[in-house]
Amino acid sequence: MRLCLFFISSSVLLGISLLRFMLPREFFGLLKMLLTLESIAGLAAAAAIFSQGPEELSHFATSSLILSIKAAQSDPSPLQDFCVADLNSPISVNGHVCKDPNLVQVDDFILSGVNVPGNTSNALGSIVTPFFVSNFPALNTLGVSMARIDFAPHGLNPPHYHPRATEILTVLEGTLEVGFVTSSTYNLPNQLISKVLQKGDAIVFPEALVHFQQNLGNSHAVALASFSSQNPDINTIANTVFGSNPAISSDILAKAFQVSNSLIADIQSQFRNDLKCNCPCRL
């Protein structure tokens, strides 16, 4: 499907290039942006723009761009009121198969345990209790999820990112230093955006950007994270780089981090031990 869209998009881009002299510069750039979305929505929006007269291009092009970007977001919009996940179905789909609506009960939509503190007795002094579609099936197709994060005094939720979701983090108790780092191709590459949050403050972490939280206080802290996906997933930087299975070559990591092979091997051994003890994944 993506290959087909690629060839269609390429053909349309060639046509636009031939007709470039007929279009204002800003609309030529806009059409290219729509087509590189590689989606039916992007192609449809580009075709619709061509059908308009010059005086209608500005308003219509802007509206089409907004609709196309919305259509290209991570989780697709639901096509029914709800689709409680059937976690026991052997059928493999993008997400989960819907439970028979006739078997759905009110308890499927209720979540308990958000008030229960997590055990922070670990090296990092923090623990995340996720409420994703895997343990809250009613979230299936709804594009949202959440998690409770508990911090021991000075506990850390280490640098990580969510490949499929934007996150809003709200501090319920305590004082947290939080931050995220911009991408390397942004106008301000690899810039740290950081601030100390108090109870009642919130911050948004854009999708797929590395971020972290640390408790600055001498007492426990609690935060609630909300995600724009039913399954945001998690890549903790240290676990991913040093704890992969099989391990990334120490030669590669030593060169990447500009340190000795022996130091890399020592760090990897710590994370390999975490895998052996089946330590919980960090969020």
Side-chain angles (χ1 to χ4, degrees):
M1 179 65 176
R2 289 179 63 87
L3 183 61
C4 179
L5 288 173
F6 172 77
F7 283 119
I8 295 174
S9 299
S10 299
S11 299
V12 177
L13 281 173
L14 178 60
I16 294 175
S17 298
L18 295 175
L19 296 174
R20 185 172 184 175
F21 66 93
M22 299 176 60
L23 293 171
R25 183 181 301 273
E26 60 269 26
F27 295 118
F28 180 77
L30 176 60
L31 289 171
K32 288 202 297 184
M33 185 183 300
L34 288 170
L35 291 170
T36 53
L37 289 174
E38 293 186 17
S39 66
I40 293 295
L43 293 172
I49 289 175
F50 269 116
S51 70
Q52 305 301 306
E55 69 281 358
E56 299 171 293
L57 274 173
S58 178
H59 175 74
F60 192 84
T62 303
S63 301
S64 298
L65 177 60
I66 293 172
L67 291 173
S68 300
I69 292 176
K70 175 67 176 177
Q73 288 179 342
S74 296
D75 285 9
S77 298
L79 299 178
Q80 59 280 313
D81 288 347
F82 56 82
C83 173
V84 176
D86 182 357
L87 301 179
N88 297 318
S89 174
I91 301 174
S92 178
V93 297
N94 183 24
H96 295 279
V97 174
C98 299
K99 183 177 180 180
D100 184 342
N102 295 317
L103 301 179
V104 172
Q105 302 177 356
V106 63
D107 286 345
D108 288 320
F109 301 95
I110 305 301
L111 176 67
S112 300
V114 182
N115 63 315
V116 178
N119 184 1
T120 59
S121 299
N122 55 63
L124 293 172
S126 72
I127 190 69
V128 177
T129 305
F131 301 104
F132 298 167
V133 68
S134 56
N135 60 352
F136 193 10
L139 299 181
N140 193 38
T141 76
L142 298 183
V144 294
S145 60
M146 61 188 294
R148 174 187 170 119
I149 313 173
D150 289 276
F151 300 85
H154 307 289
L156 170 70
N157 191 13
H160 63 280
Y161 69 93
H162 306 286
R164 291 185 289 276
T166 291
E167 173 185 349
I168 295 179
L169 182 114
T170 304
V171 180
L172 302 182
E173 293 290 343
T175 300
L176 298 180
E177 179 179 359
V178 303
F180 66 89
V181 180
T182 62
S183 58
S184 59
T185 57
Y186 185 60
N187 292 336
L188 299 172
N190 299 326
Q191 182 181 26
L192 173 62
I193 310 294
S194 181
K195 189 173 178 63
V196 174
L197 300 185
Q198 306 294 336
K199 179 179 178 179
D201 292 340
I203 185 173
V204 60
F205 300 125
E207 181 176 333
L209 293 189
V210 174
H211 56 280
F212 62 87
Q213 305 101 36
Q214 183 170 32
N215 181 10
L216 298 183
N218 295 318
S219 59
H220 283 75
V222 183
L224 190 66
S226 303
F227 302 97
S228 62
S229 170
Q230 67 183 39
N231 182 29
D233 219 329
I234 169 67
N235 278 331
T236 302
I237 304 305
N239 296 56
T240 301
V241 173
F242 298 109
S244 66
N245 186 22
I248 299 174
S249 166
S250 59
D251 290 335
I252 292 175
L253 295 180
K255 189 167 186 178
F257 287 95
Q258 294 294 289
V259 296
S260 67
N261 283 52
S262 59
L263 178 58
I264 293 295
D266 181 56
I267 297 174
Q268 284 181 317
S269 67
Q270 297 180 47
F271 284 90
R272 301 300 294 175
N273 289 334
D274 284 349
L275 289 177
K276 291 178 182 178
C277 75
N278 196 28
C279 297
C281 296
R282 307 298 307 167
L283 287 185

